[in-house]
């Protein structure tokens, strides 16, 4: 890797900063929402009260001696951070620790009657079953008469914008390049992305897609995978999901199944996509992975060897969403003009990031783009979710 100017790791100890607001405000709100979403018993209520006090005013505590993942967390930094304020350790670490402790508080890891009950499932299902999802799935019918290239570009933008997917489904290959058709697209390497997937037929390779959120954001990811398989641009896809609930809406295997059932039950073009994906899982053209490192509080630069080997063998790895972007480039206050290729130079194969901007981390912008964003919005553009990017690093 080339020499990269150092950038500070993001912490949550600066009042008024976005990381501080997540730790001090968002996490207590999530505890309240989870408490109200289930008829938890007194033990869970006491544990949630303890977590609320600990995450806002206390220090990081060790896991119980019998915790199934204690060795993982100790290797991920728990020993070093025990006894320190949640606000004084890397923000990525403390966020991940919060969700691990929340699962412990509600009894997810068991044993007991609440073992395996996803505390975020009601929120995921409400979004998946919404009228907005109906509208987005109905819009799929508009794609059927278009060229394969138009469909591919529309579905790429659907995956990029997540729950703004209704916009993506309307995009043509030409319109996707217009500022009016895809507002807020601050970096667009889509041509390079397609060039990596330009082999069709028997020579088509494997796509790894590292999923982000469930619900209305997972559906367009699955639709993109289905199209790439159907068009022969890839011969096989591997969808990486979380091994257990994480960051409220992150996708697990159960969420993939829910999304497929939603598609197959929708009728029309959506149902056809769902059936093809269901068959692809059955015959091995689509595979699911739930690697423990997917819930690690660490950047992907520290990925274990088996995961590195899998990404190295892929024709392309697409990394979806804001959290995965932070893990891909490192959760640091980079200068926005820092080259994306430089900070991802460690990645073992070609990699693409599809991400809406919802946190401070950003790389790969042109100086003119950064200046225009700052002039229009100061620093709000970093976290508003109204801007997005497609960035690619090709190792060929």
């Amino acid at each position: 890797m080339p020499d990269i100017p150092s950038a500070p790791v993001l912490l949550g100890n600066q009042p008024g900063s976005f990381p501080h607001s997540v730790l001090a405000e968002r996490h207590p709100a999530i505890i309240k929402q989870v408490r109200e979403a289930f008829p938890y018993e007194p033990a869970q209520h006491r544990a949630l009260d303890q977590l609320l006090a600990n995450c806002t005013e206390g220090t990081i505590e060790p896991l119980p001696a019998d915790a199934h993942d204690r060795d993982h967390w100790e290797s991920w930094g728990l020993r070093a951070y025990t006894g320190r304020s949640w606000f004084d350790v890397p923000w990525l670490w403390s966020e991940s620790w919060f969700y691990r402790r929340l699962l412990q508080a509600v009894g997810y890891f068991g044993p007991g009657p609440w073992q395996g009950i996803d505390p975020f499932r009601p929120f995921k299902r409400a979004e998946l079953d919404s009228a907005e999802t109906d509208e987005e799935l109905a819009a799929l019918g508009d794609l059927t008469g278009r060229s394969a290239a138009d469909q591919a570009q529309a579905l790429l933008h659907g995956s990029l914008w997540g729950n703004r997917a209704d916009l993506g489904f309307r995009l043509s290959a030409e319109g996707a390049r217009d500022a009016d058709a895809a507002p807020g697209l601050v970096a667009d390497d889509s041509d390079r992305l397609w060039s990596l997937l330009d082999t069709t037929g028997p020579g088509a390779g494997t796509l790894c897609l590292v999923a982000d959120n469930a619900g209305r954001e997972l559906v367009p990811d699955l639709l993109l995978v289905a199209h790439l398989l159907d068009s022969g641009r890839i011969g096989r896809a591997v969808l990486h999901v979380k091994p257990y609930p994480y960051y409220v809406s992150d996708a697990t295997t159960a969420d993939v199944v829910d999304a497929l059932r939603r598609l197959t039950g929708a009728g029309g073009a959506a149902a056809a996509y769902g059936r093809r994906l269901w068959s692809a899982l059955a015959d091995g053209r689509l595979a699911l992975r739930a690697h423990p490192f997917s819930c690690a509080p660490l950047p992907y630069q520290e990925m274990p060897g088996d995961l590195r080997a899998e990404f190295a063998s892929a024709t392309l790895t697409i990394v979806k969403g804001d959290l995965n972007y932070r893990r891909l480039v490192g959760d640091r206050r980079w200068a926005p003009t820092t080259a994306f290729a430089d900070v991802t130079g460690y990645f073992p194969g070609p990699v693409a990031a599809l991400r809406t901007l919802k946190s401070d981390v950003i790389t790969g912008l042109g100086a003119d783009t950064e200046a225009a964003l700052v002039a229009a919005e100061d620093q709000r553009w970093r976290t508003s979710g109204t801007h997005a990017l497609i960035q690619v690093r090709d190792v060929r």
Side-chain angles (χ1 to χ4, degrees):
M1 290 178 60
D3 291 333
I4 305 171
S6 61
V9 173
L10 287 170
L11 306 177
N13 58 7
Q14 182 179 348
S17 69
F18 185 70
H20 187 276
S21 71
V22 169
L23 297 178
E25 300 169 19
R26 183 182 296 179
H27 287 176
I30 289 170
I31 292 174
K32 181 176 185 291
Q33 291 167 349
V34 166
R35 182 196 301 271
E36 294 174 351
F38 285 91
Y40 285 126
E41 300 174 53
Q44 275 94 354
H45 285 283
R46 287 192 297 270
L48 289 170
D49 288 340
Q50 291 167 2
L51 176 59
L52 177 60
N54 182 246
C55 74
T56 54
E57 301 174 1
T59 60
I60 293 165
E61 301 173 350
L63 285 171
D66 59 351
H68 73 285
D69 54 353
R70 182 175 178 176
D71 289 346
H72 277 312
W73 277 96
E74 290 187 347
S75 70
W76 294 340
L78 179 57
R79 286 182 177 175
Y81 296 145
T82 295
R84 296 175 62 179
S85 166
W86 293 57
F87 294 82
D88 292 334
V89 303
W91 179 44
L92 175 64
W93 200 96
S94 57
E95 271 198 292
S96 298
W97 181 239
F98 170 78
Y99 289 104
R100 170 58 183 84
R101 287 291 310 276
L102 181 63
L103 293 182
Q104 180 180 326
V106 299
Y108 179 85
F109 296 114
W114 294 94
Q115 184 174 10
I117 302 299
D118 183 348
F120 311 126
R121 181 173 172 80
F123 318 126
K124 297 175 181 178
R125 288 298 318 210
E127 183 180 275
L128 191 61
D129 295 337
S130 68
E132 290 84 357
T133 302
D134 288 333
E135 295 171 4
E136 291 163 4
L137 295 181
L140 282 172
D142 297 337
L143 288 181
T144 55
R146 297 186 179 181
S147 69
D150 278 7
Q151 292 183 43
Q153 192 73 356
L155 292 169
L156 177 66
H157 278 260
S159 179
L160 169 66
W161 286 106
N163 59 17
R164 292 177 62 184
D166 57 325
L167 167 69
F169 293 151
R170 291 196 301 268
L171 293 174
S172 67
E174 294 78 17
R177 302 176 191 279
D178 297 335
D180 291 339
L185 191 57
V186 299
D188 185 5
D189 292 341
S190 54
D191 286 344
R192 295 175 66 191
L193 185 151
W194 294 126
S195 73
L196 290 165
L197 300 173
D198 61 2
T199 301
T200 59
T206 296
L207 171 74
C208 286
L209 194 153
V210 182
D212 185 33
N213 291 333
R216 288 171 60 203
E217 297 195 30
L218 180 60
V219 167
D221 295 343
L222 291 170
L223 296 173
L224 177 62
V225 167
H227 176 79
L228 294 176
L229 287 169
D230 291 346
S231 63
R233 283 183 178 268
I234 57 174
R236 183 170 178 267
V238 180
L239 183 66
H240 285 256
V241 296
K242 302 300 190 293
Y244 49 79
Y246 191 59
Y247 277 64
V248 180
S249 56
D250 283 33
T252 65
T253 299
D255 298 317
V256 174
V257 175
D258 284 344
L260 291 177
R261 286 175 173 157
R262 183 71 165 91
L263 284 170
T264 56
Y273 275 105
R275 288 191 295 269
R276 292 198 294 271
L277 286 162
W278 200 283
S279 295
L281 275 168
D283 64 27
R285 288 178 297 128
L286 173 59
L288 300 181
R289 294 283 186 273
H291 197 286
F293 192 76
S294 294
C295 289
L298 303 173
Y300 272 102
Q301 190 163 9
E302 299 183 41
M303 74 180 88
D306 60 335
L307 195 56
R308 177 175 292 273
E310 182 161 358
F311 291 148
S313 66
T315 303
L316 175 66
T317 297
I318 294 178
V319 175
K320 274 295 310 293
D322 194 78
L323 172 61
N324 285 324
Y325 187 86
R326 292 165 57 193
R327 298 187 68 197
L328 178 65
V329 305
D331 202 33
R332 295 173 176 269
R333 187 82 180 196
W334 297 110
T337 53
T338 303
F340 176 76
D342 288 350
V343 294
T344 57
Y346 70 89
F347 204 83
V351 62
L354 303 186
R355 176 227 185 178
T356 54
L357 278 58
K358 299 177 183 177
S359 67
D360 290 312
V361 178
I362 183 70
T363 67
L365 296 192
D368 290 346
T369 299
E370 182 195 2
L373 290 166
V374 172
E377 305 177 36
D378 193 20
Q379 297 298 322
R380 293 187 300 276
W381 61 272
R382 292 174 178 262
T383 59
S384 64
T386 58
H387 299 280
L389 56 79
I390 301 172
Q391 293 176 326
V392 176
R393 194 215 58 165
D394 182 1
V395 298
R396 292 185 302 183

